[in-house]
Amino acid sequence: MPSSALWAVDLFGRVCTLSTAAQHWELCRDAQLEFKRVSASAQCCWGIACDNRVYVRVDAGDVPIRRREEAYENQRWNPVGGFCETLLPSDRWPWSDVSGLQHRPLDGVALPSPHWEWESDWYVDENFGGEPTEKGGWTYAIDFPAAYTRDKKWNSCVRRRRWIRYRRYKSRDTWAQIPSQDDPKQLPDPFNDLSVGGWEITDEPVGHLSVWAVSLQGKVWYREDVSHPNPEGSSWSLVDTPGEVVQISCGPHDLLWATLWEGQALVREGISRNNPKGSSWSIVEPPTSENGIMHVSVGVSVLWAVTKDRKVWFRRGVNSHNPCGTSWIEMVGEMMMVDVGLNDQVWGISWADRALYFRQGVTQSELSGKTWKAIVASRECDRSHSGSSSSLLSAGCFFGDEVRGSGESCGPSDSEAERPGPDPERELQATSPASTPAELPWTNIDLKEPKRGPSHAAASFPEASDLSSLGLLPLGMEEPDGAECHPLWAWVSGGGCAVEAHTVLKWFTAQSGLSPSVQTLSLSITPAQTAAWRKQIFQQLTERTKRELENFRHYEQAVEQSVWVKTGALQWWCDWKPHRWVDVRVALERFTGQDGARDSILFVYYVVHEEKKYIHVFLNEVTALVPVLNEAKHSFALYTPERTRQRWPVRLAAATEQDMSDWLALLNLSCCESRRVHGRPSPQAIWSVTCKGDVFVSEPSPDLEAPERPLPCDQILHQSWAPTGKWGSRGCVRGLAGGPSGIYTQSDVKCVCIYENQRWNPVTGYTSRGLPTDRYMWSDATGLQECTKASTKPPSLQWTWVSDWFVDFSVPGGADQEGWQYASDFPASYHGYKTMKDFVRRRCWARKCKLVTSGPWLEVAPIALTDVSIIPEAPGAPGSEPSIALWAISDKGDVLCRLGVSELNPAGSSWLHVGTDQPFASVSIGACYQVWAVARDGSAFYRGSVSPSKPAGDCWYLIPSPPKQRLKQVSVGHTAVFALDENGNMWYRQGVTPSYPQGSGWEHVSNNVRRVSVGPLDQVWVIADKVQGSHGLSRGTVCHRTGVQPLEPKGLGWDYGIGGGWDHLSIRANATRAPRTPSQERGSDVAAAPQETPGPVCC
Amino acid sequence: MTDDKDVLRDVWFGRIPTCFTLYQDEITEREAEPYYLLLPRVSYLTLVTDKVKKHFQKVMRQEDISEIWFEYEGTPLKWHYPIGLLFDLLASSSALPWNITVHFKSFPEKDLLHCPSKDVIEAHFMSCVKEADALKHKSQVINEMQKKDHKQLWMGLQNDRFDQFWAINRKLMEYPAEENGFRYIPFRIYQTTTERPFIQKLFRPMAADGQLHTLGDLLKEVCPSAIAPEDGERKNQVMIHGIEPMLETPLQWLSEHLSYPDNFLHISIIPQPTD
C-alpha cells in the first residue's frame, strides 16, 4: 500500500504531515509561512496562511504537470511566391488556433501565472496521425477549413502546420500563492476558511477539485477550474448565501455543508458532475437551540459537527440523495474541531488538551466508529534531537548557547512581527522530554529555558492564556511522561489520508516509553535479521543437516508418511464427444516413493455406460495448474506435457469458488512437493501471466526445447498488476529476499461496468421498454448477458464493493450530460449526442470494487503502470552496470524511466519523466540501451542516445509504422526489434545496425500473435491468439520461435507450448545458452557470448 | 534461507542416523543383523522404534522378549528425553551413525521409566507441554485449547507432520503484543558431569531494565560453571539440537525457535571434546 499523509497545523502555525506508514510527524519545511487552516487532498493541500492569503502546495510526484500549448501556422499558395503567409482577406489568421477563429501568434501565448515555466521553445509537430510528415510538418488541403493530408497534391492551395510548446507547473512541493479575489474598489475581505473536495464527482482523468472558501465577511467563494493539470484554478466566483457563513466543508463527493454565524448549518443541494457548484441551500437546525453549530465536516456519506458547547455530533442518514440527513446523535468527547477524511475516517482535536485523536472503528457499516484514540506520534525533529543526545552529553553548554542565540535571531522571520512565536528548537525541547533518556545531564540546560518561555508565550497568545500555560506545563520536566508533552494542534485535515480496515497505523504507541535497545531487539517487531547469532544458527543448522544426513540418506525413516487422501466431488469436462461436464469423484493420493520422495496421484473416477472408470495424473508430471476464466463454472485446468501437445488439459470444475481454491491450493502444494519446487525462482526464470491474473514461473531447462513447465507462483491481480509479471523477471524476484518476510500487501481497485439500455418510442420517448428482439434493458457490454444492479457481483470472492453504482461518463464515443450514448440500433457505434436517427441509447454504470491480497511482490508506489521493461542482461555478468535500466508506461500514457534500480535495491529510487507529445502504450529497452516505444495512436518511436550515463536519452525519433497498421507493442532483445500491430501481426525491424539503430523497415513475420517477448539471446516467444490442437482450439498459447539464428533473426516456425488463457509472457531474464557447459561459457570470448557483454558497446 | 520459519523446519526435520545392534547376551535363534534407521531428533525413542523392535523380535523366541530398552556405551537411554537431547548429551562427539544397543531383558528399573504403551509417551509429552505453557502463559493458552488441538499436537509429533503440529504449536509460541516475550522461559539444562538430572529454574526472557536476556545470561545465572572460563579456555560446549548457538542469542528467540515439541529448550552442557 502506498502511504498517504494526514495534515495538521499546530498552535504556532506550523504545518506538519504524518504518514500512514510513519510514526513521526514531519514538519512541512517551508519555513517562511505560518498557516491558519489547511485542507488536503491526495495530490495537493490548500491552506490559508497567517497573511490571510490562499496557498496551494502540490505534491511533486515523479510525473510533472505539463500542458501543451499549440498554435497553427497557416499558408496559402500563390503563383508568385509559392506558399506564403499572405492569405486572402477572407482567410483565417496566419497564426491561429485549431479552428482558425482565434488569432494566436507564438509570442502572444503567455504563461498563466508565475508558477508555470516553459519546458522548451516552440517546435513543429512532425507527427500526423502516427505518420511522420516530411517537409517541416506541413499538411495540405484544398482550402480552409477542409480535410488535411500529408501529401501535397496539384490542388493543394493551402497548408498548415502545428507548433507545440509545453509549459510545466514548477511550484511543486512548495506553497504557491493564489491571487486573491480582492476588488480594488471594495474593502479587502480576506479568507477565513477553506475546504477542498469533490474529487470523486468526476472521473480520474479530469482530476477535478472543488475548492470552497469563506471570507471574513461571511461570503462563500468557489474557485473555478481547479483540476490536477491546472492546480491553481482560474478565478474566484461568489456564491450567494442566505446568511453569513463562518466555516465550510466540502466532501470528496457531492456533499457540502457550511455553518452560519447564527449556529445553523447550510447544506448545498444539487451538486453534480455538471454543476459542481450546486444550485441551492437548505438550512439544518442545530441539535439544541441554545448551542449552535460551530464546526462541520463532511465525507462521502457522513457529517460530523461540533457545537458551541464543544460537543461532538454525528448526523444520521446523510448521503448524496439526502444531503441534509435525518437526525443528530451525540458522540462522546469534547472537541475543538473534527475533520472527515478519505473513507469517511474522522480525526478530531480535543478541547481539553489540544491533542489529536483518531476515530477508531469507522467502517462502511459503522460510520460513527467506536472510540477516540489519541495520536501520540512524536515529531521528526524531536527524534533527531534525542537521537543525538550522546553528542549533547559532551556539548551540552554549546547546545544551550545555541538555543538562546537562535531564539533571538530567527523569530523575526515571521511575516507578522507581533507574533514571533517561540522558536522551533525551544519548542522541541519543551515537547519532547520523554524521548530523551532521563539520566542525561543536559536536562539541566533544558530547565533553565522555561524562565524565558512564559513571557514569550503570553505575548504570542494573549487570548489563550490557559492554553499557553498548558503548553508550558511539560517544560517543568517533573513528569517525563510521553502523553503530556504532545504538540498543541490547531487544525487537522485528513482529505489526503487513506486509512483502511487493514491499514496498520503506528501512530498510537509512543516510542518514548521503551528503551531504545528493546525497540531494536524486540523480536516480534524486527527479527534482527542481520544479527550474528542468527546467521550462525542458520549456518550451523545447515552444517548439522549435512553432517548428520548427507551420507545416510539411504537409511530408512523411522516414521513413515502414511498415504493420505483428499476426496471430493467435482465436475470434469469429458474427453469424448459430445463434450460436456460430467459429475466425477476425485481423489488425491499422496505417497512416499522408493527414493523417499513424495509424489501424488490425482484420480478422476467417472461412470460411462454404467461402467466405473478412472483417469489418473501423476502430479510430478503436471506442468501447470490454471484457474480458468469461466463465467459459469469455477473451473481449473491441469496440464501435462502430453495434454499440452493435445491442447486438451484435464478440466475440472468445483461447486463453489471456495472449493475450487481449496483444491487448487492442495494440488499446487502436492505439485511443488513432488517436483521439489520451493524457494524463489531463479533469475533466469520465464514469467507469464494468465488472463485471470495468475502469475506463472517456469524454470528454463538448459536446452529450452523441453515442454513448458510453468508452475503457479502466487496469485496476483489482474489489470494494473499484470505488468508485474514482467517486473518479476528481475525486480521482484529480488524483492522476495528483501523484506523480513518477503510478503507484502497488494491491493487493486477496478470498476465493474453494466449498461442501461433504452429504446425510443413516439409516445413516451426513451423508455426501458425495448422490442422483444432487443437486448436486456440492463446488460453487459455485449447485451447478451442480463446484468442488473442488484444481481451483478464483484469478479470473485476476493473482491468487495467499495462504492455505489455511478454513471461512467468517460466511455469511448462520448456521452451526454446524463451519461447517455445514442445509436440507431443495438448493437451499433454509439455517440455522445442525440440525432434524429437515434432510436436507442445506453449508458454505462460502474461500481468500484477492491481486492486486497498479499504476495511476494513489493509495490512501487505511487504511479500505476501499464507496461514495464527491464534491460535484458545475463545474470552475474562481469562488470554489470550498477544501475539497471528500466522503462515504463504509466496508466495515463506517460513514459517513465526508473532511476536507481540495482540488485540491492530492486525497487529503485524515483521515476524520471520522459516527455512525449502524446500518450504512449508500450516500451521496451534492448540489451544495448535501444529504447523503442509505441504511442497510443499506433506510431512507433526510437529514443536516441540512451546510455547508462544518460538514462533517459535525448529525443524521440518517429518511426513509420508498417503500412496501414497501428502498432500496439514492441519488444527489443539483444539487437532484434519485434513489434505487434492491432491486427495480431508480428513485424521484425530490418536493417538495424550500430550506426543506424532505427533500422530501415518492417518485415512481416507472423500473424495470430497477441504478445511478444524477445529475450537477451534474441530468442522470440509469443502468446499466440488461437492455436488448433487435436481436441480443440485454445486461445492464448505460449509459443516459441524456432530456428532463430544470428543470420536468421526472424526464425523459421513456431513451437507450440502450453496454452489456453495466457495473456503475458516474459523471457527477458533467460540468458541461458543451451549447448554450453558452464566452463565453456566462462571461457568463451565476447563474440561467442554476446549476452555476457551488456553495456552500451555495440549499438 | 533467511526466514525464521526455516529454522523451525530444520529443527523439526533433524535426523540422527542410528545403527541398532542387539545386545550380545540376548538369546537369538539366528544371527541378528544390525538395523539402520534415521531417528527424528525431536521425537522419543520408544515412539519411533517399532521397526527396530519388530526386526529383532523376528530372530528371538517369544519367551525371551520382555520390555525393550536401549543403551549407549553402558548408559541406559531414557525414553522420556527427546532423542536429539540424548544424542547431544551422550554421543555428539562420537562418529556417526550412532550405535545403540537394544536390550530385551534386565530392565534397569532404577534408571528408566517403563513404557508399556504409546499412551504413556503421550501423557509424558502432554504434561511437558502443559508445564511449559504454565511457565510461558500461566497455562492460559493450553487451557483455552480444545481436546482435539491437544490431540493434533501429539498426532503431529507421532506422525512427523510438521504443518499439523505447528498449526497448533504456533499458538503456544505467541505472547501478548504489549509484552516482549513469555513470562518465563521453559528450559532444562543437562550435564553429564553431575548427578543432578537437570537444572530448571524460573527465568524471565528480559531483565528488569528491558534488556533481552541472552543464552549467556541464563547460563551465568543458573549454571555458571558451564561458561566460567577457566585458564581462559572454554571447557564446555552448550548444545541445542546439535548446534552451539552463540551466547549472545536472545533467549526468547531461542525459546520460540529451538524448543523441542514439548516446548522446552533442552540445553546440553558437554565437555569440550579434546582432540
Side-chain angles (χ1 to χ4, degrees), chain A residues 176-472:
Chain A
Q177 193 191 321
I178 304 289
S180 61
Q181 89 293 2
D182 289 344
D183 187 337
K185 279 171 267 176
Q186 288 177 356
L187 285 171
D189 183 17
F191 285 130
N192 187 39
D193 188 37
L194 170 134
S195 182
V196 178
W199 52 83
E200 278 180 23
I201 296 181
T202 62
D203 301 312
E204 166 57 12
V206 182
H208 162 88
L209 277 184
S210 296
V211 179
W212 295 78
V214 175
S215 67
L216 272 182
Q217 292 174 19
K219 289 180 181 155
V220 171
W221 299 83
Y222 177 82
R223 184 81 184 166
E224 303 280 355
D225 301 327
V226 182
S227 65
H228 179 63
N230 187 27
E232 310 156 287
S234 57
S235 62
W236 292 104
S237 53
L238 187 65
V239 178
D240 285 331
T241 49
E244 281 187 30
V245 173
V246 189
Q247 184 255 333
I248 198 160
S249 172
C250 180
H253 198 51
D254 52 7
L255 292 183
L256 177 79
W257 280 55
T259 52
L260 291 175
W261 270 111
E262 291 77 24
Q264 297 107 323
L266 276 184
V267 184
R268 191 72 177 167
E269 299 203 344
I271 292 180
S272 71
R273 181 176 184 273
N274 303 316
N275 186 18
K277 281 194 272 188
S279 48
S280 62
W281 296 102
S282 41
I283 289 181
V284 171
E285 292 298 326
T288 52
S289 52
E290 61 270 28
N291 286 303
I293 299 170
M294 191 176 74
H295 182 98
V296 288
S297 186
V298 289
V300 174
S301 50
V302 295
L303 173 107
W304 290 70
V306 178
T307 47
K308 288 187 173 127
D309 54 354
R310 308 158 201 172
K311 287 203 172 104
V312 181
W313 301 83
F314 176 83
R315 183 83 176 166
R316 199 200 294 262
V318 175
N319 58 44
S320 290
H321 310 294
N322 181 20
C324 293
T326 51
S327 62
W328 293 104
I329 305 171
E330 190 181 339
M331 312 302 287
V332 289
E334 293 195 340
M335 294 285 168
M336 292 284 302
M337 56 103 44
V338 288
D339 193 73
V340 180
L342 298 179
N343 301 318
D344 287 344
Q345 302 292 321
V346 183
W347 289 265
I349 294 173
S350 85
W351 181 273
D353 56 357
R354 291 271 185 159
L356 201 49
Y357 285 83
F358 174 63
R359 186 77 182 170
Q360 274 205 317
V362 174
T363 61
Q364 283 308 304
S365 51
E366 195 173 356
L367 287 165
S368 57
K370 294 197 170 69
T371 53
W372 292 108
K373 192 159 186 188
I375 295 174
V376 294
S378 60
R379 276 198 254 186
E380 178 207 31
C381 27
D382 308 359
R383 209 166 19 111
S384 60
H385 274 267
S386 62
S388 62
S389 56
S390 56
S391 63
L392 292 169
L393 264 174
S394 54
C397 294
F398 169 72
F399 186 72
D401 291 343
E402 187 193 54
V403 167
R404 193 175 299 122
S406 60
E408 285 151 9
S409 63
C410 76
S413 65
D414 306 319
S415 50
E416 285 165 288
E418 75 275 14
R419 297 190 65 233
D423 72 87
E425 266 129 334
R426 185 162 349 90
E427 164 68 6
L428 297 177
Q429 285 187 13
T431 55
S432 68
S435 56
T436 60
E439 70 276 13
L440 289 177
W442 69 286
T443 49
N444 298 334
I445 301 159
D446 213 23
L447 278 170
K448 74 181 180 190
E449 285 301 313
K451 291 168 195 158
R452 294 177 66 245
S455 60
H456 254 275
S460 323
F461 300 102
E463 78 285 3
S465 54
D466 58 329
L467 284 170
S468 59
S469 61
L470 212 165
L472 290 166

Side-chain angles (χ1 to χ4, degrees), chain B residues 209-224:
Chain B
D209 63 357
Q211 198 76 31
L212 283 175
H213 274 139
T214 64
L215 180 60
D217 295 335
L218 172 74
L219 294 174
K220 227 177 285 169
E221 172 87 21
V222 304
C223 185

